[in-house]
Amino acid sequence: MGIRATAVVCLGLVTAQVTAGCASAEDTSVAATAQRFLSAAGDGRGGPACLLLAPEAARSLDDCEKDIVSAGLRAGAIRGVDVWGDEARVRVDGDTLFLHRFPDGWRVRAAGCRPRPDQSYTGQPYECEVRT
């Protein structure tokens, strides 16, 4: 392998490492937002939880602070984070959340989501307590 080919391979490896580092930083940011939201809701702090909701999700609730606390959301161990551009899914014990990246950071679009047993007729794979 010549010097030029080695340089191209090294540059490719560095680019892959930087890209992977960015992806994990996004995953961490998304997971942290989800945990803050679930902790606030589970601890009965509806105000801070509502501030982490996407505006449409907050407006979908009659009384955000009361409804978010009564939804039965609880923090749990993160089981997976998937980020696709400005959209993300966080799987925790017993719950799935969907988030969207806004200019000021990640916000929860849907929470209290559980897979539907038979989605063939609805086209909706999840049923959510809180959603936009």
Side-chain angles (χ1 to χ4, degrees):
M1 190 184 271
I3 294 174
R4 186 177 205 147
T6 303
V8 170
V9 170
C10 288
L11 180 60
L13 291 173
V14 169
T15 303
Q17 288 174 342
V18 169
T19 303
C22 292
S24 93
E26 280 301 322
D27 291 359
T28 301
S29 179
V30 169
T33 300
Q35 285 288 42
R36 283 195 317 273
F37 171 77
L38 290 171
S39 292
D43 291 346
R45 296 178 290 120
C50 289
L51 291 175
L52 293 170
L53 284 175
E56 315 86 57
R59 284 192 298 270
S60 75
L61 301 171
D62 292 329
D63 180 344
C64 187
E65 292 185 25
K66 180 180 157 198
D67 293 346
I68 208 72
V69 169
S70 65
L73 305 171
R74 300 282 179 259
I78 302 265
R79 298 296 179 198
V81 176
D82 302 300
V83 178
W84 308 278
D86 290 338
E87 302 298 325
R89 177 181 63 182
V90 177
R91 289 174 282 121
V92 298
D93 288 333
D95 198 352
T96 299
L97 292 88
F98 294 91
L99 294 86
H100 179 80
R101 183 188 357 233
F102 288 87
D104 62 340
W106 290 96
R107 300 276 189 101
V108 177
R109 293 183 74 182
C113 301
R114 287 165 186 72
R116 290 180 192 252
D118 180 14
Q119 55 189 281
S120 60
Y121 65 94
T122 65
Q124 300 291 325
Y126 287 89
E127 178 70 34
C128 302
E129 295 292 321
V130 178
R131 65 187 172 281
T132 56

